[in-house]
Amino acid sequence: MKKLIALILALMLAFAGVSAMAESLKMCTNAAFPPYEFYDENSEATGIDVEIAKAVCAKLGYDLEIVDIEFDQCIPGVQSGKYDFAAAGMTVTEERKQMVQFTDTYATAQQVVIVPADCEMTSLDDFVAANGTVKVGVQRATTGDLYMTWDYEDAGKGTVDRYPIGAGAVEALKAGKVDCVVIDNEPAKNFVAQNEGLKILESAYTTEEYAMAFSKESPIYADFNAALNELIEDGTVKGIIDSFIPAE
Ligand code: ARG
């Protein structure tokens, strides 16, 4: 009996030790942004950002916990320490650099314009020339929102309708509530593939770089970025990207 109790106690201690070792990092994202973050057929979050974050955590010996929130909450959530980092197809901008620190970049993207397939306009300015204005749909607080607000709304050349997720802006386009949607190129390709009657204009609006965001006080930033760099250098990151973005 005593031996049994000793054994049980030893096992309990061992398990406590193991579970205490695997500390987890909390990543926030907005998982409606394929192929960077979305839910697979088993309702598991996956995508380029999720798999890169998992690989970095595995290398550093952390578990990864994913919290799906609205995109505009990602930077405040990281700043306040609610989340350890954000990985959300997030573009590095000067304004955001004032608020958070970014890892090295792991992907390049463009802001592109989605329009109805029969649309004859070739740019946003064509809409302005034809109608005196353009109605643009965007995902709230994204770079698409910022550029459209500055370049069209503030310039008096159009209006911007902001939706919580990109798919909401695409629905508005299909319903004729906006003339076009400005969003990142890979999600745009996904939305156009999943919805009939849409196309992407040939000329991209801007080119950007994606990185993960940490608070300026983050104690794990340096280790995380170093591990990410190793995974970029050894080809792991490229392998992950290629597995989600089929070569054209
Ligand atoms: N790249 C754009 C930005 O940084 C859009 C990112 C949206 N990401 C998302 N997971 N919904 O503003």
Side-chain angles (χ1 to χ4, degrees), residues 101-112:
Q101 56 181 338
F102 283 105
T103 61
D104 292 0
T105 64
Y106 57 86
T108 301
Q110 280 105 37
Q111 293 297 312
V112 298

mmCIF file with all atom_site columns, all heavy atoms in Angstrom, residues 101-112:
data_model
loop_
_atom_site.group_PDB
_atom_site.id
_atom_site.type_symbol
_atom_site.label_atom_id
_atom_site.label_alt_id
_atom_site.label_comp_id
_atom_site.label_asym_id
_atom_site.label_entity_id
_atom_site.label_seq_id
_atom_site.pdbx_PDB_ins_code
_atom_site.Cartn_x
_atom_site.Cartn_y
_atom_site.Cartn_z
_atom_site.occupancy
_atom_site.B_iso_or_equiv
_atom_site.pdbx_formal_charge
_atom_site.auth_seq_id
_atom_site.auth_comp_id
_atom_site.auth_asym_id
_atom_site.auth_atom_id
_atom_site.pdbx_PDB_model_num
ATOM 1  N N   . GLN A 1 101 ? 6.525  46.255 -31.695 1.00 0.00 ? 101 GLN A N   1
ATOM 2  C CA  . GLN A 1 101 ? 7.750  45.941 -32.443 1.00 0.00 ? 101 GLN A CA  1
ATOM 3  C C   . GLN A 1 101 ? 7.474  44.726 -33.320 1.00 0.00 ? 101 GLN A C   1
ATOM 4  O O   . GLN A 1 101 ? 6.788  43.790 -32.917 1.00 0.00 ? 101 GLN A O   1
ATOM 5  C CB  . GLN A 1 101 ? 8.949  45.742 -31.529 1.00 0.00 ? 101 GLN A CB  1
ATOM 6  C CG  . GLN A 1 101 ? 8.783  44.673 -30.460 1.00 0.00 ? 101 GLN A CG  1
ATOM 7  C CD  . GLN A 1 101 ? 10.023 44.559 -29.586 1.00 0.00 ? 101 GLN A CD  1
ATOM 8  O OE1 . GLN A 1 101 ? 11.133 44.944 -29.963 1.00 0.00 ? 101 GLN A OE1 1
ATOM 9  N NE2 . GLN A 1 101 ? 9.843  44.014 -28.394 1.00 0.00 ? 101 GLN A NE2 1
ATOM 10 N N   . PHE A 1 102 ? 8.006  44.774 -34.528 1.00 0.00 ? 102 PHE A N   1
ATOM 11 C CA  . PHE A 1 102 ? 7.765  43.712 -35.498 1.00 0.00 ? 102 PHE A CA  1
ATOM 12 C C   . PHE A 1 102 ? 8.950  42.765 -35.608 1.00 0.00 ? 102 PHE A C   1
ATOM 13 O O   . PHE A 1 102 ? 10.104 43.190 -35.499 1.00 0.00 ? 102 PHE A O   1
ATOM 14 C CB  . PHE A 1 102 ? 7.500  44.324 -36.877 1.00 0.00 ? 102 PHE A CB  1
ATOM 15 C CG  . PHE A 1 102 ? 6.120  44.901 -37.031 1.00 0.00 ? 102 PHE A CG  1
ATOM 16 C CD1 . PHE A 1 102 ? 5.919  46.269 -37.020 1.00 0.00 ? 102 PHE A CD1 1
ATOM 17 C CD2 . PHE A 1 102 ? 5.022  44.067 -37.190 1.00 0.00 ? 102 PHE A CD2 1
ATOM 18 C CE1 . PHE A 1 102 ? 4.641  46.811 -37.169 1.00 0.00 ? 102 PHE A CE1 1
ATOM 19 C CE2 . PHE A 1 102 ? 3.743  44.586 -37.334 1.00 0.00 ? 102 PHE A CE2 1
ATOM 20 C CZ  . PHE A 1 102 ? 3.551  45.960 -37.324 1.00 0.00 ? 102 PHE A CZ  1
ATOM 21 N N   . THR A 1 103 ? 8.654  41.506 -35.875 1.00 0.00 ? 103 THR A N   1
ATOM 22 C CA  . THR A 1 103 ? 9.699  40.537 -36.215 1.00 0.00 ? 103 THR A CA  1
ATOM 23 C C   . THR A 1 103 ? 10.207 40.888 -37.611 1.00 0.00 ? 103 THR A C   1
ATOM 24 O O   . THR A 1 103 ? 9.680  41.780 -38.271 1.00 0.00 ? 103 THR A O   1
ATOM 25 C CB  . THR A 1 103 ? 9.127  39.107 -36.291 1.00 0.00 ? 103 THR A CB  1
ATOM 26 O OG1 . THR A 1 103 ? 8.115  39.066 -37.315 1.00 0.00 ? 103 THR A OG1 1
ATOM 27 C CG2 . THR A 1 103 ? 8.541  38.667 -34.953 1.00 0.00 ? 103 THR A CG2 1
ATOM 28 N N   . ASP A 1 104 ? 11.204 40.135 -38.070 1.00 0.00 ? 104 ASP A N   1
ATOM 29 C CA  . ASP A 1 104 ? 11.611 40.271 -39.461 1.00 0.00 ? 104 ASP A CA  1
ATOM 30 C C   . ASP A 1 104 ? 10.425 39.837 -40.325 1.00 0.00 ? 104 ASP A C   1
ATOM 31 O O   . ASP A 1 104 ? 9.577  39.066 -39.874 1.00 0.00 ? 104 ASP A O   1
ATOM 32 C CB  . ASP A 1 104 ? 12.823 39.377 -39.724 1.00 0.00 ? 104 ASP A CB  1
ATOM 33 C CG  . ASP A 1 104 ? 14.040 39.910 -38.969 1.00 0.00 ? 104 ASP A CG  1
ATOM 34 O OD1 . ASP A 1 104 ? 13.901 40.932 -38.279 1.00 0.00 ? 104 ASP A OD1 1
ATOM 35 O OD2 . ASP A 1 104 ? 15.108 39.289 -39.064 1.00 0.00 ? 104 ASP A OD2 1
ATOM 36 N N   . THR A 1 105 ? 10.381 40.336 -41.542 1.00 0.00 ? 105 THR A N   1
ATOM 37 C CA  . THR A 1 105 ? 9.221  40.021 -42.383 1.00 0.00 ? 105 THR A CA  1
ATOM 38 C C   . THR A 1 105 ? 9.384  38.630 -42.991 1.00 0.00 ? 105 THR A C   1
ATOM 39 O O   . THR A 1 105 ? 10.500 38.160 -43.232 1.00 0.00 ? 105 THR A O   1
ATOM 40 C CB  . THR A 1 105 ? 9.033  41.060 -43.485 1.00 0.00 ? 105 THR A CB  1
ATOM 41 O OG1 . THR A 1 105 ? 10.155 41.019 -44.348 1.00 0.00 ? 105 THR A OG1 1
ATOM 42 C CG2 . THR A 1 105 ? 8.896  42.451 -42.894 1.00 0.00 ? 105 THR A CG2 1
ATOM 43 N N   . TYR A 1 106 ? 8.244  37.978 -43.198 1.00 0.00 ? 106 TYR A N   1
ATOM 44 C CA  . TYR A 1 106 ? 8.274  36.620 -43.741 1.00 0.00 ? 106 TYR A CA  1
ATOM 45 C C   . TYR A 1 106 ? 7.425  36.491 -44.998 1.00 0.00 ? 106 TYR A C   1
ATOM 46 O O   . TYR A 1 106 ? 7.324  35.398 -45.553 1.00 0.00 ? 106 TYR A O   1
ATOM 47 C CB  . TYR A 1 106 ? 7.803  35.621 -42.658 1.00 0.00 ? 106 TYR A CB  1
ATOM 48 C CG  . TYR A 1 106 ? 6.426  35.940 -42.118 1.00 0.00 ? 106 TYR A CG  1
ATOM 49 C CD1 . TYR A 1 106 ? 5.283  35.465 -42.756 1.00 0.00 ? 106 TYR A CD1 1
ATOM 50 C CD2 . TYR A 1 106 ? 6.271  36.764 -41.004 1.00 0.00 ? 106 TYR A CD2 1
ATOM 51 C CE1 . TYR A 1 106 ? 4.026  35.789 -42.291 1.00 0.00 ? 106 TYR A CE1 1
ATOM 52 C CE2 . TYR A 1 106 ? 5.020  37.093 -40.537 1.00 0.00 ? 106 TYR A CE2 1
ATOM 53 C CZ  . TYR A 1 106 ? 3.902  36.608 -41.175 1.00 0.00 ? 106 TYR A CZ  1
ATOM 54 O OH  . TYR A 1 106 ? 2.654  36.934 -40.732 1.00 0.00 ? 106 TYR A OH  1
ATOM 55 N N   . ALA A 1 107 ? 6.781  37.576 -45.429 1.00 0.00 ? 107 ALA A N   1
ATOM 56 C CA  . ALA A 1 107 ? 5.967  37.490 -46.651 1.00 0.00 ? 107 ALA A CA  1
ATOM 57 C C   . ALA A 1 107 ? 5.780  38.877 -47.240 1.00 0.00 ? 107 ALA A C   1
ATOM 58 O O   . ALA A 1 107 ? 5.812  39.882 -46.519 1.00 0.00 ? 107 ALA A O   1
ATOM 59 C CB  . ALA A 1 107 ? 4.609  36.870 -46.340 1.00 0.00 ? 107 ALA A CB  1
ATOM 60 N N   . THR A 1 108 ? 5.602  38.925 -48.541 1.00 0.00 ? 108 THR A N   1
ATOM 61 C CA  . THR A 1 108 ? 5.314  40.167 -49.252 1.00 0.00 ? 108 THR A CA  1
ATOM 62 C C   . THR A 1 108 ? 3.900  40.062 -49.781 1.00 0.00 ? 108 THR A C   1
ATOM 63 O O   . THR A 1 108 ? 3.466  38.974 -50.177 1.00 0.00 ? 108 THR A O   1
ATOM 64 C CB  . THR A 1 108 ? 6.305  40.341 -50.426 1.00 0.00 ? 108 THR A CB  1
ATOM 65 O OG1 . THR A 1 108 ? 7.611  40.362 -49.883 1.00 0.00 ? 108 THR A OG1 1
ATOM 66 C CG2 . THR A 1 108 ? 6.061  41.638 -51.169 1.00 0.00 ? 108 THR A CG2 1
ATOM 67 N N   . ALA A 1 109 ? 3.176  41.175 -49.762 1.00 0.00 ? 109 ALA A N   1
ATOM 68 C CA  . ALA A 1 109 ? 1.788  41.135 -50.237 1.00 0.00 ? 109 ALA A CA  1
ATOM 69 C C   . ALA A 1 109 ? 1.476  42.412 -50.990 1.00 0.00 ? 109 ALA A C   1
ATOM 70 O O   . ALA A 1 109 ? 2.262  43.363 -50.965 1.00 0.00 ? 109 ALA A O   1
ATOM 71 C CB  . ALA A 1 109 ? 0.847  40.995 -49.044 1.00 0.00 ? 109 ALA A CB  1
ATOM 72 N N   . GLN A 1 110 ? 0.352  42.431 -51.655 1.00 0.00 ? 110 GLN A N   1
ATOM 73 C CA  . GLN A 1 110 ? -0.129 43.648 -52.303 1.00 0.00 ? 110 GLN A CA  1
ATOM 74 C C   . GLN A 1 110 ? -1.556 43.915 -51.883 1.00 0.00 ? 110 GLN A C   1
ATOM 75 O O   . GLN A 1 110 ? -2.300 42.972 -51.621 1.00 0.00 ? 110 GLN A O   1
ATOM 76 C CB  . GLN A 1 110 ? -0.138 43.478 -53.834 1.00 0.00 ? 110 GLN A CB  1
ATOM 77 C CG  . GLN A 1 110 ? 1.198  43.653 -54.504 1.00 0.00 ? 110 GLN A CG  1
ATOM 78 C CD  . GLN A 1 110 ? 1.759  42.316 -54.913 1.00 0.00 ? 110 GLN A CD  1
ATOM 79 O OE1 . GLN A 1 110 ? 1.026  41.435 -55.331 1.00 0.00 ? 110 GLN A OE1 1
ATOM 80 N NE2 . GLN A 1 110 ? 3.058  42.163 -54.761 1.00 0.00 ? 110 GLN A NE2 1
ATOM 81 N N   . GLN A 1 111 ? -1.930 45.182 -51.875 1.00 0.00 ? 111 GLN A N   1
ATOM 82 C CA  . GLN A 1 111 ? -3.339 45.526 -51.770 1.00 0.00 ? 111 GLN A CA  1
ATOM 83 C C   . GLN A 1 111 ? -3.874 45.515 -53.197 1.00 0.00 ? 111 GLN A C   1
ATOM 84 O O   . GLN A 1 111 ? -3.304 46.159 -54.081 1.00 0.00 ? 111 GLN A O   1
ATOM 85 C CB  . GLN A 1 111 ? -3.526 46.928 -51.156 1.00 0.00 ? 111 GLN A CB  1
ATOM 86 C CG  . GLN A 1 111 ? -3.104 47.007 -49.702 1.00 0.00 ? 111 GLN A CG  1
ATOM 87 C CD  . GLN A 1 111 ? -3.945 46.110 -48.796 1.00 0.00 ? 111 GLN A CD  1
ATOM 88 O OE1 . GLN A 1 111 ? -5.164 46.114 -48.864 1.00 0.00 ? 111 GLN A OE1 1
ATOM 89 N NE2 . GLN A 1 111 ? -3.284 45.334 -47.966 1.00 0.00 ? 111 GLN A NE2 1
ATOM 90 N N   . VAL A 1 112 ? -4.939 44.769 -53.413 1.00 0.00 ? 112 VAL A N   1
ATOM 91 C CA  . VAL A 1 112 ? -5.514 44.675 -54.760 1.00 0.00 ? 112 VAL A CA  1
ATOM 92 C C   . VAL A 1 112 ? -6.982 45.098 -54.705 1.00 0.00 ? 112 VAL A C   1
ATOM 93 O O   . VAL A 1 112 ? -7.562 45.253 -53.631 1.00 0.00 ? 112 VAL A O   1
ATOM 94 C CB  . VAL A 1 112 ? -5.391 43.251 -55.346 1.00 0.00 ? 112 VAL A CB  1
ATOM 95 C CG1 . VAL A 1 112 ? -3.919 42.856 -55.496 1.00 0.00 ? 112 VAL A CG1 1
ATOM 96 C CG2 . VAL A 1 112 ? -6.156 42.235 -54.495 1.00 0.00 ? 112 VAL A CG2 1
#
